[in-house]
Amino acid sequence: MAVVQLRAERLVAGGVALAREPSGRIIFLEGALPGETVRARVTAEWRDYARGVADEVVTPSPLRTTPPCRFVAAGCGGCSWQHIDPAGQVELKRAILVEALARTGGLVDADVRAGATLDGLAFRGAHSHDLVRVDECLVAHPRLAELLATSRFPGASEVTLRCSASTGERVALVGPPAAERAAVLPADVMVGRRAVFYEDIAGVRLRVSAPSFFQSRADGAAALVALVDAAATDGAAASATVVDAYAGVGLFAATMARDAEVVCIEQSRSACKDATHNLAGRAATIVQGRVERWRPRPADLVVADPSRQGLGRRAVEVLSATGAARLILVSCDAVALARDARLLVSTGFSHRSSTVVDLFPHTAHVEVVSQFDRE
């Protein structure tokens, strides 16, 4: 493939840089930062655009720094932004979201704010399913980092290790079953799909089963809860009925609107069991199933935390049919948020604000809390 010298203009969704050839064709560059001149290797081409990798930085950005982790050079895909000064990462993520909302969502000059910045086993390699063996990790919780040196998983194809920042409890999921039986772990580690740990968020103790989704860090979950709670109460009367869509273990339902009746919609069976436990004593209804298939009922407020694919048209229609005056959307992909924003606007909502939370330092992942109000 050809080698070209290019100047990166800006970062776009996915954390890649946009550059242009003299002909005007766009090249999406991995490893380049805004304003940098790089020599890049073109890796794939189409008529209107191409993709490439920056092999040499000719003129570096002031934000460029030396990755502190030795496993980056080995190809670990866990922290793809370690070459960027942490102080500048959240602003770059904010700029990515502004661009996505304008280009895909049609929301020019949207109110996008920079929110909290958090401190930053074998991991997947960059852009592959190959494993990169590590024996330490700079971003892992110390209780998890300890397992890297003390645990062995002969014959395992997949290992998930989780730790409670509040209690120190540790759980592991190991596949296949034979590898689970052969795993060598400290005696305190609970193994298997029935294992649980507890996490304290905003003064509430939450049960999380090993197969249930939960935010990868407790302080990140707390930051999201604070933003969602602030958006829910911003100039609004207390909500009598709240729908928590894609509720997981009940993180938002359990920690906010504690006097409200809540309806949690969640597809995962284990997460529904956790939510039932976590909302015991509350006026709560747990619905196991897909949001798209839920029969909407009247509500004052909707909180939605979908997967990376976003809500999509059908879920927007269902949640809009609740008649809620406010919808708070927690998104983990800038383009998916932009698509959802366009759909929500088409059903009568207005975008009020979006706040970027840097839940995943040293990566291009964007976590956003957005407020939409009914016109």
Side-chain angles (χ1 to χ4, degrees):
M1 289 288 187
V3 175
V4 292
Q5 183 162 307
L6 300 166
R7 184 180 183 276
E9 296 179 9
R10 63 183 185 276
L11 295 187
V12 296
V16 297
L18 184 149
R20 299 177 194 272
E21 293 180 311
S23 65
R25 184 176 70 160
I26 290 174
I27 296 186
F28 296 106
L29 289 175
E30 294 184 24
L33 299 180
E36 289 187 333
T37 299
V38 300
R39 289 192 180 90
R41 173 172 34 92
V42 177
T43 56
E45 295 185 87
W46 294 267
R47 186 183 68 178
D48 298 325
Y49 71 98
R51 293 190 177 275
V53 176
D55 287 334
E56 179 184 353
V57 179
V58 178
T59 306
S61 163
L63 293 178
R64 182 171 287 278
T65 188
T66 302
C69 177
R70 60 190 174 94
F71 293 106
V72 171
C76 179
C79 299
S80 60
W81 271 22
Q82 283 203 9
H83 62 292
I84 305 175
D85 188 326
Q89 290 183 17
V90 69
E91 178 55 32
L92 290 177
K93 294 182 181 186
R94 193 192 75 84
I96 288 172
L97 181 56
V98 168
E99 194 268 347
L101 286 173
R103 177 173 53 85
T104 303
L107 299 177
V108 180
D109 299 325
D111 183 352
V112 180
R113 309 164 185 176
T117 299
L118 307 179
D119 297 330
L121 12 146
F123 287 94
R124 297 296 186 192
H127 310 295
S128 78
H129 291 287
D130 297 334
L131 294 178
V132 177
R133 183 179 179 85
V134 304
D135 53 20
E136 62 179 348
C137 178
L138 298 180
V139 298
H141 187 282
R143 292 275 289 163
L144 284 183
E146 178 188 343
L147 294 182
L148 297 178
T150 60
S151 305
R152 297 294 179 268
F153 306 96
S157 59
E158 189 85 16
V159 177
T160 301
L161 303 175
R162 304 175 75 174
C163 171
S164 167
S166 307
T167 67
E169 296 166 311
R170 300 185 290 189
V171 302
L173 281 174
V174 183
E180 178 180 306
R181 292 190 293 270
V184 179
L185 287 154
D188 70 285
V189 180
M190 296 170 282
V191 183
R193 299 182 65 83
R194 294 185 179 181
V196 301
F197 65 94
Y198 291 84
E199 197 68 87
D200 295 336
I201 306 295
V204 177
R205 175 151 291 191
L206 300 173
R207 189 187 82 177
V208 184
S209 297
S212 300
F213 171 81
F214 196 73
Q215 292 294 336
S216 62
R217 48 192 304 168
D219 55 357
L224 292 177
V225 165
L227 282 173
V228 169
D229 190 49
T233 57
D234 180 23
S239 299
T241 305
V242 176
V243 171
D244 186 356
Y246 311 91
V249 304
L251 171 65
F252 297 115
T255 54
M256 55 170 288
R258 301 184 191 185
D259 295 326
E261 178 185 0
V262 295
V263 178
C264 294
I265 312 165
E266 170 56 47
Q267 188 173 3
S268 163
R269 178 177 298 181
S270 66
C272 283
K273 290 181 179 179
D274 290 332
T276 300
H277 178 277
N278 294 330
L279 290 163
R282 292 277 304 275
T285 301
I286 312 299
V287 179
Q288 184 184 344
R290 295 174 59 85
V291 171
E292 295 86 350
R293 297 178 180 175
W294 178 62
R295 180 175 294 179
R297 52 167 288 185
D300 303 305
L301 172 70
V302 171
V303 178
D305 184 8
S307 65
R308 191 167 301 280
Q309 289 73 32
L311 294 173
R313 182 174 300 279
R314 179 56 185 157
V316 166
E317 292 172 350
V318 168
L319 297 178
S320 179
T322 63
R326 178 166 294 173
L327 186 148
I328 302 169
L329 179 59
V330 182
S331 307
C332 55
D333 182 87
V335 174
L337 166 57
R339 289 194 300 263
D340 289 341
R342 182 182 286 275
L343 291 170
L344 287 165
V345 168
S346 73
T347 64
F349 284 97
S350 288
H351 174 264
R352 295 304 183 196
S353 66
S354 291
T355 302
V356 176
V357 188
D358 198 8
L359 253 64
F360 303 97
H362 303 303
T363 78
H365 291 299
V366 178
E367 196 85 12
V368 189
V369 175
S370 300
Q371 177 183 326
F372 295 86
D373 286 348
R374 186 84 67 173
E375 289 287 4

